[in-house]
Amino acid sequence: MKKTMTFAILHFSVAFTITYLLTGSIVIGGAVALIEPAVNTVVFYFHEKVWKKIESKKQSAENNSASIVPVN
């Protein structure tokens, strides 16, 4: 949990710093630092669902091809 928390702090800090440097606005920097990780979390959830489907199809294809044994 400590590693997760330190990564979250790092992520917020980077998002805030980059946005602040680009815009000069503490408010916009703060908003982006809060919104970007939240959006990223939702996108990551759907990315994982799609990735698991792809892996599942690949595993099924491998299992099907491995179960076919040529007969002499």
Side-chain angles (χ1 to χ4, degrees):
M1 188 52 106
K2 288 180 184 179
K3 184 177 178 181
T4 300
M5 292 307 295
T6 58
F7 180 76
I9 292 167
L10 181 66
H11 191 138
F12 290 128
S13 299
V14 169
F16 173 81
T17 301
I18 289 172
T19 305
Y20 175 73
L21 290 173
L22 290 172
T23 66
S25 171
I26 291 175
V27 173
I28 294 173
V32 169
L34 294 174
I35 294 168
E36 188 273 335
V39 171
N40 236 349
T41 300
V42 173
V43 169
F44 182 76
Y45 170 78
F46 289 107
H47 174 268
E48 284 297 300
K49 286 185 74 125
V50 170
W51 197 255
K52 284 182 181 181
K53 251 185 204 175
I54 291 168
E55 288 177 334
S56 176
K57 287 181 181 179
K58 183 180 176 184
Q59 185 68 31
S60 292
E62 288 174 359
N63 288 343
N64 288 340
S65 65
S67 65
I68 300 172
V69 179
V71 178
N72 292 331

